[in-house]
Amino acid sequence: MKKNDHFTLVSSAFLNYWKFYLKFYYWNGYTEKDIASYYIINTIFTSYLAEIGLKALLAYETGTICHGHYIDKLFIKLHPQTQEVIAHDMGYKIHELLKKLKENRNHFSHWRYYYELKCNQVDIKLMESLLNTIYVCIIYLRKKEPLKKDEI
């Protein structure tokens, strides 16, 4: 596969999941008040999306598909300029964002079995902000227009 083929493959996966996420969570107005499982499902899905989104950015930068679930470790693999753009867009310094990512590093794997968790703290706002920033980066790199509600 060519370098751009990996990016296209992984970023397409991110965008497809992103559409699903927007359609069923944001645009339908679901919140934790509406459905009891919102928090658990949202935690798993935002973590999964963040992982795929970071892997898409890494595919763009390296030309390969990266493996792993820890979003802080995936973030560290990005070029320093990319890290800076993401951190700045989210309102953090790089070291502050890394600390937050480490605290929220593997919710995709752990929250699938939430009943086994000893600690269940999640920063959903951080994860949503990260997803929005990754989305903007991917759209910019793919030179596409952002999705509109009627396109979903």
Side-chain angles (χ1 to χ4, degrees):
M1 262 188 176
K2 295 179 188 175
K3 178 179 178 177
N4 287 342
D5 291 344
H6 289 298
F7 172 67
T8 301
L9 180 67
V10 182
S11 65
S12 293
F14 174 83
L15 292 173
N16 286 329
Y17 288 123
W18 179 256
K19 287 179 192 179
F20 175 84
Y21 181 70
L22 290 177
K23 184 174 182 178
F24 290 100
Y25 288 97
Y26 277 113
W27 291 336
N28 283 330
Y30 289 136
T31 68
E32 63 276 3
K33 296 174 189 160
D34 298 319
I35 46 178
S37 60
Y38 170 85
Y39 190 75
I40 296 164
I41 294 167
N42 197 33
T43 298
I44 294 167
F45 207 71
T46 56
S47 300
Y48 181 57
L49 262 172
E51 180 184 321
I52 292 174
L54 290 169
K55 288 177 179 180
L57 296 177
L58 284 164
Y60 180 83
E61 291 182 351
T62 66
T64 62
I65 295 178
C66 189
H67 300 279
H69 296 294
Y70 291 170
I71 59 174
D72 58 321
K73 290 185 177 185
L74 293 170
F75 181 81
I76 289 170
K77 292 178 182 180
L78 293 169
H79 290 161
Q81 298 90 338
T82 307
Q83 292 177 18
E84 182 61 40
V85 166
I86 292 171
H88 176 70
D89 188 71
M90 293 177 64
Y92 291 100
K93 303 270 187 226
I94 291 176
H95 72 277
E96 296 169 334
L97 180 56
L98 267 172
K99 182 180 180 219
K100 292 280 195 181
L101 293 177
K102 188 172 185 177
E103 292 168 358
N104 293 271
R105 70 177 354 187
N106 196 22
H107 293 316
F108 170 63
S109 294
H110 290 144
W111 274 81
R112 289 179 290 173
Y113 310 101
Y114 70 93
Y115 47 84
E116 296 175 358
L117 292 175
K118 292 180 180 152
C119 177
N120 56 2
Q121 299 297 315
V122 177
D123 189 341
I124 290 290
K125 296 299 179 199
L126 170 84
M127 298 304 292
E128 290 172 347
S129 178
L130 177 61
L131 291 181
N132 285 318
T133 300
I134 290 170
Y135 171 73
V136 169
C137 291
I138 288 173
I139 290 299
Y140 174 78
L141 293 172
R142 288 178 62 118
K143 298 175 179 37
K144 289 183 120 183
E145 291 295 315
L147 293 171
K148 294 177 180 62
K149 187 174 180 177
D150 60 344
E151 295 175 329
I152 302 296

